[in-house]
Amino acid sequence: MSSAVTKVAQPAEQAKAAGPTTGPRQPATDYSGFPLVGAKHPWRWVGTAVVALGVFGIAWSLATNPRWEWGVVAQWFTAQSVVNGLLETLKLTAISGLLGFVLGFILALMRLSASPLLVSVSWTFSWIFRSTPLLVQMLLWYNLGYLYEKISLGIPFTDVRFFEVQTTTLISQFAAALLGLTLNQAAYSAEIIRGGILSVDQGQLEAAAALGIPAWRRSTRIVLPQAMRAILPTAFNEIIGLVKGTSIVYVLAYSELFYTVQVIYNRTQQVLPLLLVATLWYVVITSVLSVFQYYIERHYSKGAVRSLPLTPLQKARKFFATHAVAPNRARSPR
């Protein structure tokens, strides 16, 4: 009898676990009339208040301390001599940055080649110029005339000369600064570009080669777009560092921004305000470069993310649209 009771109880328990199978279905609850209540983050507000208090204190100190001499800063910020120095800084940055990355790209390809000689030359170049301070390199180029009185171009081991000039005439202050910045930048750029190329999966190249895609199209359509995502952040860091690195050219008495500011405050004895002028201009340049970096990185992220990240303007629009709709929903009647 116990077995029969067990057999009868099992279907009943299963039916009870499965729930009611008959009867009218209950209507779904309508939540459209309920107000939206955001999640509360009290510690976030505490942290925000502390940071805001610190920022306000710093801003108050900058605004009320008369020793900053903001009037002097405003007087010299757009002075003609300062603007001329700024243009020289931008010229040095643009030329040495462009030539440095072009030479770095060639050195990176040499390092990745199958030729032992090309690999050795590229490695030695990067080793030498990354091992010596930029200041030493500039002074060496500027005093090259002591080692070689003349620079000539002709047929080796003969007296035939197509071109010959005095080294002191050819290596001016600008040329020495440009050589030092370009060659130093090329050594670092070569490693950045090489690392970006190596970050691309080699299986993609093998698949493209199996499909018969030419080598130049594999490089420009497959390798380069993917390598740019790895190259760009570090490359822009190098360019920003190059902008500030041009200040070391003052040892050659070349009239870039920092040297110009030095000349002015040596004459006026207004050291801190003039240093602040140079600082603000460097901040402006690096801020503009950061904006370019953001949009260029966003462009090259198309193949890596499903949807592109929002621009600052799009984020602002989304924020105001979201916070404009939420209060309206909160005030709507149930």
Side-chain angles (χ1 to χ4, degrees):
M1 181 180 292
S2 59
S3 60
V5 172
T6 305
K7 291 180 181 179
V8 173
Q10 286 179 351
E13 293 176 356
Q14 294 176 358
K16 184 178 180 181
T21 56
T22 59
R25 181 174 297 179
Q26 297 295 329
T29 305
D30 184 14
Y31 295 102
S32 60
F34 288 83
L36 296 177
V37 179
K40 299 183 183 301
H41 302 281
W43 288 109
R44 180 189 300 175
W45 287 105
V46 171
T48 302
V50 171
V51 173
L53 186 62
V55 172
F56 177 77
I58 294 173
W60 180 262
S61 174
L62 292 174
T64 58
N65 190 343
R67 295 185 179 181
W68 286 104
E69 300 182 66
W70 290 107
V72 178
V73 174
Q75 174 189 351
W76 288 104
F77 189 73
T78 55
Q80 187 62 45
S81 56
V82 174
V83 173
N84 291 338
L86 173 66
L87 294 177
E88 294 299 321
T89 294
L90 294 176
K91 182 169 69 173
L92 278 175
T93 302
I95 298 176
S96 57
L98 177 62
L99 295 178
F101 273 94
V102 170
L103 181 57
F105 180 73
I106 296 172
L107 290 169
L109 295 181
M110 291 171 60
R111 185 75 180 275
L112 295 172
S113 70
S115 171
L117 178 60
L118 295 180
V119 173
S120 300
V121 170
S122 176
W123 182 87
T124 305
F125 181 94
S126 299
W127 171 62
I128 291 175
F129 285 95
R130 290 196 302 167
S131 302
T132 54
L134 179 58
L135 177 62
V136 175
Q137 295 177 32
M138 286 189 180
L139 292 176
L140 179 63
W141 289 116
Y142 190 59
N143 293 281
L144 190 63
Y146 176 78
L147 299 174
Y148 303 97
E149 295 183 2
K150 296 180 180 180
I151 296 178
S152 60
L153 178 65
I155 300 176
F157 310 110
T158 65
D159 294 332
V160 180
R161 297 288 183 270
F162 304 117
F163 172 80
E164 187 174 82
V165 66
Q166 291 287 334
T167 305
T168 54
T169 303
L170 184 63
I171 306 298
S172 61
Q173 296 166 320
F174 177 76
L178 193 62
L179 277 171
L181 292 172
T182 298
L183 297 179
N184 184 77
Q185 185 61 53
Y188 288 93
S189 300
E191 294 302 303
I192 293 171
I193 295 172
R194 184 176 70 91
I197 293 174
L198 291 177
S199 67
V200 180
D201 185 13
Q202 296 299 310
Q204 299 186 36
L205 296 178
E206 295 173 0
L211 293 174
I213 300 176
W216 67 274
R217 287 187 65 86
R218 295 200 298 266
S219 300
T220 57
R221 291 292 188 177
I222 298 177
V223 177
L224 189 58
Q226 297 182 76
M228 288 296 288
R229 294 198 298 269
I231 291 172
L232 280 173
T234 314
F236 267 96
N237 282 342
E238 284 295 316
I239 295 175
I240 290 173
L242 181 61
V243 172
K244 297 177 289 185
T246 56
S247 61
I248 206 171
V249 179
Y250 82 94
V251 298
L252 305 179
Y254 184 73
S255 299
E256 46 78 45
L257 178 60
F258 185 63
Y259 180 78
T260 302
V261 166
Q262 280 187 312
V263 171
I264 295 173
Y265 72 61
N266 285 332
R267 186 176 70 248
T268 64
Q269 299 302 311
Q270 296 169 326
V271 179
L272 189 59
L274 268 302
L275 288 177
L276 194 56
V277 168
T279 301
L280 291 176
W281 274 122
Y282 285 125
V283 169
V284 170
I285 298 171
T286 54
S287 299
V288 172
L289 288 174
S290 298
V291 173
F292 279 105
Q293 176 184 355
Y294 174 82
Y295 282 99
I296 295 175
E297 287 184 3
R298 185 175 182 271
H299 171 75
Y300 279 100
S301 65
K302 291 179 179 178
V305 295
R306 295 183 181 274
S307 58
L308 293 177
L310 299 178
T311 64
L313 182 59
Q314 291 172 339
K315 289 180 180 178
R317 289 176 177 174
K318 182 180 179 180
F319 175 82
F320 287 114
T322 304
H323 287 71
V325 172
N328 292 335
R329 290 182 177 179
R331 288 193 299 267
S332 61
R334 290 191 178 183

